[in-house]
Each structure stands twice: as C-alpha cells, then as structure tokens.
Amino acid sequence: MEVTVSRKAHFNAAHRLFNKNWSEEKNEKVFGKCNNLNYHGHNYEMIVNVTGKINPETGYVIDMGVLKKIIKDEVEEKLDHKNLNLDVDYFSNTIPSAENICIYIHKLLRKKISNDLNISVTLFETPRNFVTYPSN
Amino acid sequence: MEVTVSRKAHFNAAHRLFNKNWSEEKNEKVFGKCNNLNYHGHNYEMIVNVTGKINPETGYVIDMGVLKKIIKDEVEEKLDHKNLNLDVDYFSNTIPSAENICIYIHKLLRKKISNDLNISVTLFETPRNFVTYPSN
Amino acid sequence: MEVTVSRKAHFNAAHRLFNKNWSEEKNEKVFGKCNNLNYHGHNYEMIVNVTGKINPETGYVIDMGVLKKIIKDEVEEKLDHKNLNLDVDYFSNTIPSAENICIYIHKLLRKKISNDLNISVTLFETPRNFVTYPSN
Amino acid sequence: MEVTVSRKAHFNAAHRLFNKNWSEEKNEKVFGKCNNLNYHGHNYEMIVNVTGKINPETGYVIDMGVLKKIIKDEVEEKLDHKNLNLDVDYFSNTIPSAENICIYIHKLLRKKISNDLNISVTLFETPRNFVTYPSN
Amino acid sequence: MEVTVSRKAHFNAAHRLFNKNWSEEKNEKVFGKCNNLNYHGHNYEMIVNVTGKINPETGYVIDMGVLKKIIKDEVEEKLDHKNLNLDVDYFSNTIPSAENICIYIHKLLRKKISNDLNISVTLFETPRNFVTYPSN
Amino acid sequence: MEVTVSRKAHFNAAHRLFNKNWSEEKNEKVFGKCNNLNYHGHNYEMIVNVTGKINPETGYVIDMGVLKKIIKDEVEEKLDHKNLNLDVDYFSNTIPSAENICIYIHKLLRKKISNDLNISVTLFETPRNFVTYPSN
C-alpha cells in the first residue's frame, strides 16, 4: 500500500544553451534565442515525488519537514540565484537543458533519501514547459 | 483504449497530528507545530482520477455530474468544515496525516464507483505539499 | 534513461453534447445543460507529454520550439475559435466529449511526432474537469 | 474603515463578436476569428468585489454564503452553458465583448446588493485576457 | 513616481466563527458550518502591498528580503499552525472572520514598516474568497 | 463609464543587482545573492492594464489582438531571453530591480498607446514578488 508524497520548491537561475563542440552558427541555428551569449534566466519550479510505504507510527511516508530541508540543502543551496553554466561544475560538460537539470536534481536527492523510497522529479522551466525524470 | 477522467474538489478542515501512544515530548519532537493542542487547519484540494473505457453512446468514461455528486455526498459532506480528529470516526485511531486522509477518501469513493473503473486520489494539504494514493 | 517533456497549450471552442440516435428527451436527460441547442463553450487547456531518450548533443528529448509549432499547426489551427460540432469533420460522427477530443488530439499529434517517442495528452475542459489519454 | 470582500465564480458560454450594422467583410476584418459564424466559447471566471463597513456583530461586510447565492441566482443561472448571442436578451443589441459582459454582470448584481455597498466586477475571458468595471 | 511592491505569504490556522453574546441557535443560523464547535481550518494566503517612492541607490521601494522577514516575524510566527480563537489574544473579543484577520495583519505590519510607506493587505481564506483592507 | 482591460504576457531574462558607485562589499551586503557576479534569472510575468471608454461599435476599449502585438513588439522583443544588464541600454545606468523594469515597460508602452487610455503595469519577478506602476 504505497503512497506518493510530493513537495514543490523553486529556485531562480541564469543559463545558456550551447554545445561547445559546435560552431557559433550551428549553436545559433539549433538553440536560437536560448543561445544568447549573455545568458537569460528562469524561475524554475520543481516537484519532488517520493514513493513508499506509510510508517504506521507517524502516518508519514517521509516527514515533509525533512524532505523540505533536503531539497533546500541539496538543491536550492547549489542552484538558487546561480548561473548554471558558470557556477555549477556539473554543467561545465553537460548542457543545462531542462532535461539535464532534472536528472541532476534527481542525482542530488538520490544520495540523501533512503533507497526504500522511489524518487521522481518534475522541473518547470516556465509555466508552459516542464520535464519529468524518470519518465511517467 | 482507456482514458483517465479527473475532477478537482475541495474541503476545509482542522486537524492535529499526534500519536496517542507517545509522550507529549515525543509528539512535540516528531510532529512539531502540527501537534498544536488546539488544532490548526487547511484548505484541502483533491483530484479524483477515474480510469476506464469510454462508453461509445455518451463519449463518457463516467458522467462528470455523477462523479461530482459522489464526491460531494461521500467526501465533502463528511469532511468539510470539520475537525478531522474529533468529528470523523475513522481518525479516532488513525493519525490524520495527508497520506491517511488520502487513503480514507479512496476508501469512501471505492464503495460508490463501479469496479470496472480504477480510482486514484491526489490530496493537496497545501499548494506545496500533496500526496497520491495509489502511488504513481 | 527516459525523460518526459511536457508542453501546455490552449484553444477556445464551442460545442454541444448530444447523441443523434437518441430522442430529444433522452439527450436532455443524459447531457443536461451540456446539450444546449445553441452550444456553449470552453477555454480548453492541454498538456502534451512526449517521452523518450535525451539526445546528448542537444540535451533535448524534443526541441520545445518544434513541439510548440507541431501543436500550433496540427491542433490549434484546427480547433481554436471553432464550433467543434459544426466546424470539425471528426466530430460529425463522434460526440465532442472531453474524452473524445483528447483522443482526437492524440491522433493528430501521433502522425507528426517520431514513433521513437511516446505521447500522452491531458485536456482540461475547465480548471476542475480534465481527462488523460492514454490513461495514467 | 472599509474592507473589500471578493468572491470568485465562473460560467461557460459560447459567443460570437459581430456588429450587425457592418458588412461581413468589415466584421471579418475587425473581429477576425472571434467572428466565426458558428460561435466559439470560453470558461469565464469572474471576481465580484463588494466594499463596505464591517458589521461588528458578525465580522462580515457581506455574508459570503449570501453573496455566493446572489451570484449563482443572478449571473450563473442566466449565463452558464448558454450561447450569449442567442440565449441572453441583453446581447441581442449589445456585442458580447468581455467589456460588455462585465458591465451586464455588474447591472445584474447591482439590483440585488444593498446600495450601502460598492461593487466592481473583474471578468476573465481567458487566463490571459480580463476586464474590470468600474475601471481600477 | 510611486510604485507598489507586493509580497505573497501564507499560514495555516484553525478557527470558528461565533458571537459569544448570541444564543447557540442564532450562531448556528448566522454562521452555519463555520460555527462548528470543534473548529475547522484554512490555508490562508496573504498579499502585502507596500507603496512608496523608489530609493534611487537601490532601485527598491523596500527590500523584499526585509519585507519577507517582517511578515515572517510579525504575522507568520503569530498565526501559523495556530487556533485563532484560542491561541491569539486579539481574537478573544473579535470574531476571526477574514475581514477581521486582514485588519489585524495590517495592524501588525503597520507598527514595523516606515510611515512613509502605505500598506494594504489582501487575505485569501480560500482560493475563491478573499478580502482587502483598506478597501480598493 | 470606463473599463480596465488587462492582458498577461511574459518574458525570460537574466539580471544582476548592483550599484556601480558602491564597493563590492556594500553591493554584497545590500543585494545579497541578487548580486551574483555571473547573473541569475527569472520568468517575468506582466499584466498590462489599459483603462478607457468602450467603443460602442466594437464593444472594445482596445482590441486585445492589437494590445498583444504592441506588447510583443515593444516589450517581449526587447527583453525576452536577454541579459537585462548587458543587452538593454536602459539598464546600463539604471539598476534592473523589478520596480525599475516595471517603469521601463510602462515607458515603452506609453509611446505606442493612445493618450486617451490610461496604462498601468504589474510585473511579477517570481510568483511571490511583484510590483505595480503607477502604484495602486
């Protein structure tokens, strides 16, 4: 009898999409205005979903206060008010697309949440564009 | 060729989280401000998802008007403007965490909706905290 | 390592629910105010979910700009500011319930998106009523 | 010491914008796709704002339950699931633009709410387009 | 050249509406289910609006971080996860209607924000019911 | 008999807050993480409010299609996917705080909208922080 517990959180960041193995022209063609040399940015909203059994003593799958703190310490501290390309090592060799940021957030959380619990992450780059990992 | 039909509804209620087998100190430590002796409360939003085949004569999986009435009669009437701990029998021995409220709503609806249809319930305790049963 | 990429879009349309094989009385009884002879309407919101592998060269499952254009050309152009019963051939023999509109949108998109990618569509008829195909 | 009390409500309707004194060409040019002969539709959301003094015996400017019922009886019953052009007399000689619908709703409510209270109405035609009367 | 700066915040609380000078019957008649003896509750959302001139050295009317902290210390600490009737002195003699809670929040903030700045508060009791003081 | 017509739009941008006449330490102290040397970013949402009389021939205060195009040409083209500090001349000498961006947008629109119509702009830097010019 498993339940999924979900917590919304957010961070603001700048980024730029480009493939350093490509010419300027190809980057411009593929990434368009997302390739702006001087960066642009987003209010990223994320939903972290944690699935597992309810602890009968607390009625909780995971304490939301604990989950909130893990998200804050592991994700918000590393990404909020940052330039993803310049300030976050992981993206020195990985394009900071919504897809790749979502997988990175999943990795950060996976290390800190018990393996008895499954995790998925939905990341909104804008209110109209979002991604989920692992896929639905 | 199955479709999921979803309906949002809501109720307002007071509750308090505590385990009656524990000392006051342990309840305070585990549940923090959610353990306030005088209760606190929420605007609970729920999404009821019903999955099944489309009836070719109506184009419906289930008539939304019928589903709306079942939710009103079975869930809202029992929980809206109530104190979950004191006014709802089910929670005399079950901690009214979001997880347990969600399972209770699922039980209430399961009795009234045809077994040809699958049901899942998402319950928002706040816009940032929500749970889903059965798990995604 | 699959990711789901989601894009929200919308269109406004008029429709009326009725089964042409039924009497006026039966239509009135089953469809109620949705059967209004002169039509009523909605702001339909849709979420198109596309699941697949990330292209390591772009960091994309699918270019959101491309997906946005496919949705515009294949769905919005056909449905926006239209009367679904009168202006869209598909609904001359199919009741334009949310369920059937959702399946129709899925069909329109399926033709234009690579078969390596899975698609699902969620369609909001109102902020409180929505459907998903294929089912969750 | 005045307070403004606001209540959200909604209705779904079909409409068409055209000026019957104009040629088909001029209507097409001015109103574009909003002029579709077969109508289109919207989920209209409205916010009714009522301003006045607090009654010290109840703590209310106006009882929200009373306001909800007035909106239901005076506005929703007349407009929900209707074709504004064909089913609502007021729009036989008035173009059912968001501006004019908003003024009409204001008129309907003004008759039923005490003159000690000021009223304003905001009407959302879509989540991105809305109007307020009287003006802010 | 004045600008209004607005900040959203929230708290969860239980309350009950009743007038202690009235009979049980009259309270039941006037306040209905809001009079439930065992309390019910809400996720209150508030918007604090601060109006004034821009400081040309910072580009700020008021530092949002400072405003956020004032709201946290003066409002959230006093009201979050509380029973308004039992845990907040102000409501021992004042009915905790949305109108009166809004005025109370305004009083709390007025003491801590420079008199060069105007303040108004909008308080959502539910997503559909809200109040503003001073009135719009 | 004036009506206010409102249109939501959005753009994504990077920015950094700092006063070039101050030391690095003072900038750090006043602007905190908003001063990140490498920029951060936001999804800015704006609401443009236009107030005036209804044209009886169209039922419009202003054609929403025209307003949408003005916002696109005058605001989105200049700000979307840009670095406000580096790519927008206006902010070479003006700190791109939400307050100052809002005034700038107002200036851009004021030039293109008839002087018979009043304009105000609300700019959301995040869903929780927003500003309005001229003040409410």
Side-chain angles (χ1 to χ4, degrees):
Chain A
M1 213 157 83
E2 300 212 319
V3 174
T4 299
V5 171
S6 302
R7 170 85 195 160
K8 280 193 198 173
H10 57 270
F11 60 92
N12 311 320
H15 78 154
R16 176 195 172 201
L17 300 185
F18 72 106
N19 182 325
K20 59 188 179 183
N21 301 318
W22 289 353
S23 67
E24 213 174 301
E25 289 72 25
K26 184 157 185 194
N27 272 302
E28 184 60 26
K29 193 176 161 219
V30 173
F31 294 115
K33 60 189 179 176
C34 297
N35 180 40
N36 177 19
L37 189 67
N38 289 326
Y39 309 97
H40 64 283
H42 298 289
N43 301 328
Y44 291 93
E45 294 268 344
M46 64 182 141
I47 300 175
V48 177
N49 306 290
V50 177
T51 297
K53 298 217 174 85
I54 296 178
N55 176 339
E57 292 214 310
T58 58
Y60 288 165
V61 168
I62 184 173
D63 182 330
M64 277 289 193
V66 169
L67 180 58
K68 182 180 174 181
K69 189 166 174 356
I70 292 173
I71 296 170
K72 186 167 192 299
D73 292 350
E74 301 305 313
V75 182
E76 295 176 24
E77 287 296 323
K78 288 187 178 67
L79 302 182
D80 190 35
H81 282 75
K82 294 290 164 59
N83 182 308
L84 300 179
N85 303 71
L86 301 181
D87 298 330
V88 183
D89 282 355
Y90 184 86
F91 297 111
S92 59
N93 282 302
T94 302
I95 298 170
S97 64
E99 290 90 331
N100 283 333
I101 302 169
C102 191
I103 289 172
Y104 176 59
I105 293 170
H106 189 276
K107 274 184 214 286
L108 293 173
L109 295 171
R110 187 65 282 175
K111 288 181 207 163
K112 299 289 175 175
I113 291 176
S114 160
N115 281 319
D116 297 347
L117 301 169
N118 279 318
I119 304 172
S120 80
V121 178
T122 295
L123 182 73
F124 287 76
E125 193 167 84
T126 74
R128 296 207 163 263
N129 292 348
F130 54 101
V131 302
T132 302
Y133 176 78
S135 65
N136 291 325
Chain B
M1 213 158 85
E2 300 213 318
V3 174
T4 299
V5 171
S6 302
R7 169 86 194 159
K8 280 193 197 174
H10 58 271
F11 59 92
N12 311 320
H15 78 154
R16 176 195 173 202
L17 299 185
F18 73 106
N19 182 326
K20 60 188 178 184
N21 301 318
W22 289 353
S23 66
E24 212 174 298
E25 288 73 25
K26 183 156 184 195
N27 271 301
E28 184 60 28
K29 194 178 160 216
V30 173
F31 293 115
K33 59 189 181 177
C34 297
N35 180 40
N36 177 20
L37 188 66
N38 290 326
Y39 309 97
H40 64 285
H42 298 289
N43 301 327
Y44 291 93
E45 294 268 345
M46 62 183 142
I47 301 175
V48 177
N49 307 290
V50 177
T51 298
K53 298 215 173 86
I54 296 179
N55 176 337
E57 291 214 310
T58 58
Y60 288 165
V61 168
I62 185 173
D63 182 330
M64 276 290 191
V66 170
L67 180 57
K68 182 181 174 180
K69 189 165 171 2
I70 292 172
I71 296 171
K72 187 168 190 301
D73 292 350
E74 301 305 312
V75 182
E76 294 175 26
E77 287 296 322
K78 287 185 179 70
L79 302 182
D80 190 33
H81 282 75
K82 293 292 164 57
N83 181 308
L84 300 179
N85 303 71
L86 301 180
D87 298 331
V88 183
D89 280 356
Y90 183 86
F91 297 111
S92 57
N93 283 301
T94 302
I95 298 169
S97 64
E99 289 90 331
N100 284 333
I101 303 169
C102 191
I103 288 172
Y104 176 60
I105 292 170
H106 189 276
K107 274 184 214 287
L108 293 173
L109 295 171
R110 189 61 285 176
K111 289 180 206 163
K112 301 287 175 177
I113 291 175
S114 161
N115 282 318
D116 297 346
L117 300 169
N118 279 319
I119 305 172
S120 79
V121 178
T122 295
L123 181 74
F124 287 76
E125 193 167 84
T126 73
R128 295 208 164 262
N129 292 347
F130 54 101
V131 301
T132 302
Y133 175 78
S135 64
N136 290 327
Chain C
M1 215 157 83
E2 299 213 320
V3 174
T4 299
V5 171
S6 303
R7 171 83 194 159
K8 281 193 197 174
H10 58 270
F11 60 92
N12 311 321
H15 79 153
R16 177 196 172 202
L17 300 185
F18 72 106
N19 182 326
K20 60 188 178 184
N21 301 318
W22 289 354
S23 67
E24 211 174 300
E25 289 72 26
K26 185 158 185 192
N27 272 302
E28 183 61 27
K29 193 176 159 218
V30 172
F31 293 115
K33 59 189 182 179
C34 298
N35 180 40
N36 179 19
L37 189 66
N38 290 326
Y39 308 97
H40 63 283
H42 298 289
N43 301 328
Y44 291 93
E45 294 268 344
M46 63 183 143
I47 301 174
V48 177
N49 307 289
V50 176
T51 298
K53 299 217 173 86
I54 296 178
N55 176 338
E57 291 214 312
T58 57
Y60 287 165
V61 168
I62 185 173
D63 181 328
M64 277 289 192
V66 170
L67 179 57
K68 181 181 175 181
K69 187 163 174 1
I70 292 173
I71 296 171
K72 186 165 191 304
D73 292 350
E74 301 304 313
V75 183
E76 295 175 24
E77 288 296 323
K78 288 186 177 67
L79 302 181
D80 190 34
H81 282 74
K82 293 290 165 58
N83 181 310
L84 300 180
N85 303 71
L86 302 180
D87 298 331
V88 183
D89 280 354
Y90 184 86
F91 296 112
S92 58
N93 282 302
T94 301
I95 299 170
S97 64
E99 289 90 330
N100 284 333
I101 303 169
C102 191
I103 289 171
Y104 176 60
I105 292 170
H106 190 277
K107 275 183 213 288
L108 293 172
L109 295 171
R110 187 64 284 175
K111 289 180 208 162
K112 300 289 175 174
I113 292 176
S114 160
N115 282 318
D116 298 346
L117 301 169
N118 278 317
I119 305 174
S120 80
V121 178
T122 294
L123 181 72
F124 287 75
E125 192 166 86
T126 73
R128 297 208 162 264
N129 291 347
F130 54 101
V131 302
T132 302
Y133 175 78
S135 64
N136 290 326
Chain D
M1 215 157 82
E2 299 212 320
V3 174
T4 299
V5 170
S6 302
R7 170 88 194 158
K8 281 194 197 171
H10 58 271
F11 59 92
N12 310 321
H15 79 153
R16 177 195 172 201
L17 300 185
F18 73 106
N19 183 325
K20 59 188 178 185
N21 301 317
W22 289 353
S23 68
E24 212 174 300
E25 289 71 27
K26 184 156 184 194
N27 272 303
E28 184 61 28
K29 193 177 160 216
V30 172
F31 294 115
K33 60 188 180 177
C34 297
N35 180 41
N36 177 19
L37 189 65
N38 289 326
Y39 309 98
H40 64 283
H42 298 289
N43 301 328
Y44 291 94
E45 295 268 344
M46 63 182 142
I47 300 174
V48 177
N49 307 290
V50 177
T51 298
K53 297 215 174 87
I54 296 178
N55 176 339
E57 291 214 311
T58 57
Y60 287 165
V61 169
I62 185 173
D63 182 329
M64 276 290 189
V66 170
L67 180 57
K68 181 182 175 180
K69 188 166 172 2
I70 292 172
I71 295 170
K72 186 166 191 301
D73 292 349
E74 301 305 313
V75 182
E76 294 175 25
E77 287 296 322
K78 287 187 179 67
L79 302 181
D80 190 33
H81 282 75
K82 294 290 166 57
N83 181 307
L84 300 179
N85 302 71
L86 301 181
D87 298 329
V88 183
D89 281 356
Y90 184 86
F91 297 111
S92 58
N93 282 301
T94 301
I95 298 170
S97 64
E99 289 90 332
N100 283 334
I101 303 169
C102 192
I103 289 172
Y104 176 59
I105 293 171
H106 190 276
K107 273 185 214 288
L108 293 173
L109 295 171
R110 186 65 283 173
K111 289 180 206 164
K112 300 289 175 175
I113 291 175
S114 161
N115 282 319
D116 297 348
L117 301 169
N118 279 318
I119 305 173
S120 79
V121 178
T122 295
L123 181 73
F124 287 76
E125 194 167 83
T126 74
R128 296 209 163 262
N129 290 350
F130 54 100
V131 301
T132 302
Y133 174 79
S135 65
N136 290 328
Chain E
M1 214 157 82
E2 298 212 321
V3 175
T4 300
V5 171
S6 303
R7 170 85 194 159
K8 282 195 197 171
H10 59 271
F11 59 92
N12 310 321
H15 80 152
R16 178 196 171 200
L17 300 185
F18 72 107
N19 182 326
K20 61 188 178 184
N21 300 318
W22 289 355
S23 67
E24 212 174 301
E25 289 72 26
K26 186 159 184 193
N27 272 303
E28 183 60 26
K29 194 177 160 217
V30 172
F31 293 114
K33 59 188 181 178
C34 297
N35 180 40
N36 177 19
L37 189 66
N38 290 326
Y39 309 98
H40 63 283
H42 298 290
N43 302 327
Y44 291 93
E45 293 268 344
M46 63 183 144
I47 301 174
V48 177
N49 306 289
V50 176
T51 298
K53 298 215 175 86
I54 295 178
N55 176 337
E57 292 214 312
T58 58
Y60 288 164
V61 168
I62 184 173
D63 182 328
M64 278 290 190
V66 170
L67 179 57
K68 181 181 176 180
K69 188 164 173 0
I70 292 172
I71 295 171
K72 186 166 192 299
D73 292 350
E74 301 305 313
V75 182
E76 294 176 24
E77 288 294 324
K78 287 185 178 68
L79 302 182
D80 190 33
H81 283 74
K82 293 291 165 60
N83 181 309
L84 300 179
N85 302 73
L86 301 181
D87 298 331
V88 183
D89 280 356
Y90 183 85
F91 296 111
S92 58
N93 282 301
T94 301
I95 299 170
S97 64
E99 290 90 331
N100 283 333
I101 303 169
C102 191
I103 289 172
Y104 176 60
I105 292 170
H106 189 276
K107 274 185 212 288
L108 292 173
L109 295 170
R110 188 63 283 175
K111 289 180 205 164
K112 300 289 174 174
I113 292 175
S114 159
N115 282 319
D116 297 347
L117 300 169
N118 278 318
I119 305 173
S120 79
V121 178
T122 294
L123 181 72
F124 287 76
E125 193 167 83
T126 73
R128 297 209 162 262
N129 291 347
F130 54 100
V131 303
T132 302
Y133 175 77
S135 65
N136 290 325
Chain F
M1 216 158 78
E2 299 212 321
V3 174
T4 299
V5 171
S6 303
R7 171 86 194 159
K8 281 193 196 172
H10 58 269
F11 59 92
N12 310 320
H15 79 153
R16 177 195 173 201
L17 301 184
F18 72 105
N19 182 326
K20 60 188 179 185
N21 301 318
W22 289 353
S23 67
E24 210 175 301
E25 288 72 25
K26 185 159 183 192
N27 272 303
E28 183 62 27
K29 193 175 161 218
V30 171
F31 293 115
K33 59 188 180 177
C34 297
N35 180 39
N36 178 18
L37 188 66
N38 289 327
Y39 309 98
H40 64 284
H42 298 288
N43 301 327
Y44 291 93
E45 293 268 344
M46 63 182 142
I47 300 174
V48 177
N49 307 289
V50 176
T51 298
K53 298 218 174 85
I54 296 178
N55 176 340
E57 292 214 310
T58 57
Y60 288 165
V61 169
I62 184 171
D63 182 330
M64 276 289 189
V66 170
L67 179 56
K68 182 180 173 180
K69 189 166 172 1
I70 292 172
I71 295 170
K72 186 166 191 302
D73 292 350
E74 300 305 312
V75 182
E76 294 175 26
E77 288 295 323
K78 288 186 176 68
L79 302 181
D80 191 33
H81 282 76
K82 294 289 165 59
N83 181 309
L84 301 179
N85 303 72
L86 301 181
D87 298 330
V88 183
D89 280 355
Y90 184 85
F91 296 111
S92 59
N93 282 302
T94 301
I95 299 170
S97 64
E99 290 90 330
N100 283 333
I101 302 170
C102 191
I103 289 171
Y104 176 60
I105 292 170
H106 189 277
K107 274 184 214 286
L108 293 173
L109 294 171
R110 187 64 284 175
K111 287 180 208 164
K112 300 288 175 175
I113 291 175
S114 159
N115 282 319
D116 297 346
L117 301 168
N118 278 318
I119 304 173
S120 80
V121 178
T122 295
L123 181 72
F124 286 75
E125 193 167 83
T126 73
R128 298 210 161 262
N129 292 348
F130 55 100
V131 303
T132 302
Y133 175 78
S135 65
N136 290 326

